[in-house]
Amino acid sequence: MDRKPWLVGVTGASGTPYAAAVLRGLIDAGEDVDLVISQAARLTLIDETGRGVRDKHWQQDVGSWVSRDVSRVRYWSAGDIAAGPASGSYRTKGMIIVPATTASVAGIAAGTSKDLLQRAADVTLKERRRLVIVLRETPLRLSTLDNLRTLALEGAIIMPASPAFYAGATDIDQLVDFMAGRVLDLCDVEHDLYRRWTGTLGAARMVAHAE
Ligand SMILES: Cc1cc2nc3c(=O)[nH]c(=O)nc-3n(C[C@H](O)[C@H](O)[C@H](O)COP(=O)(O)O)c2cc1C
């Protein structure tokens, strides 16, 4: 059967735990995954996890980073501009950029395709496939807001890394999983990463407080 992966791009914003959680969610759901990690993201990975990802040993490095079997993952070097995802004829279900930098947002909005990750995002947009951008930066300057507007007008889903607290998270992993779960929701990927809001929970709490 035709392989149709989700493409995951990791850029050099703070938030590599979000990327790991999304990757775990996709793998656990049995999805095929194509992975591109920008040069800057290698630095944030080292900074935030103490781990590097080496192109030659990516299976070992990514496997231990996400604590999963990565046999359904295909890794592409960010410098490999001739890689599969650089072409619209390479089929994917869409692309998730997690975390996304303001620099990548600018590059994708301008269409400059400075590396495979940005080219793949460009392709995702031109092929009218789903593009989820999990931006991590605050505050935002006007040019970033303009770039996000441009991307939203082109159909990208802008999803700031902004976990909510209503799901009852009691530790950081649960906040991270909440974000990852919301990303997977946008991709129609089944998961059990957070407790969904049902409405009744909030009403019951209000009643309890009113009494
Ligand atoms: C430790 C560290 C954390 C960073 N965090 C962010 C961030 O949260 N958001 C952001 O937009 N850029 C952040 N940057 C800056 C980007 O890494 C930088 O702009 C880089 O050129 C982005 O390249 P890329 O988009 O190709 O990954 C960070 C850099 C470092 C070293």
Side-chain angles (χ1 to χ4, degrees), residues 71-170:
S71 52
R72 297 185 81 110
V73 177
R74 186 178 285 173
Y75 175 86
W76 302 96
S77 169
D80 185 2
I81 207 68
S87 168
S89 65
Y90 185 86
R91 302 204 323 154
T92 67
K93 288 183 176 170
M95 181 171 186
I96 304 163
I97 306 180
V98 57
T101 61
T102 55
S104 283
V105 161
I108 298 161
T112 45
S113 295
K114 73 153 189 175
D115 60 11
L116 174 63
L117 192 152
Q118 290 188 15
R119 168 62 186 166
D122 201 76
V123 165
T124 304
L125 285 176
K126 86 180 173 73
E127 299 295 328
R128 304 288 195 270
R129 295 176 189 147
R130 178 145 306 188
L131 177 62
V132 179
I133 298 177
V134 185
L135 178 76
R136 210 315 308 174
E137 187 53 279
T138 194
L140 298 176
R141 57 183 284 217
L142 184 58
S143 71
T144 301
L145 293 168
D146 284 343
N147 290 330
L148 293 171
R149 180 176 181 277
T150 298
L151 292 172
L153 285 171
E154 288 196 65
I157 299 176
I158 309 300
M159 187 166 197
S162 170
F165 293 81
Y166 60 71
T170 52

Side-chain angles (χ1 to χ4, degrees), residues 15-16 27 29 47-49 74 76 84 87 95 105 112 134 140 151 156 163-164 166 171 174 186 196 198 204 209:
T16 52
I27 292 167
D47 214 56
E48 296 185 339
T49 70
R74 186 178 285 173
W76 302 96
S87 168
M95 181 171 186
V105 161
T112 45
V134 185
L140 298 176
L151 292 172
Y166 60 71
D171 61 33
Q174 289 173 8
L186 291 173
R196 291 180 186 284
T198 58
H209 279 283

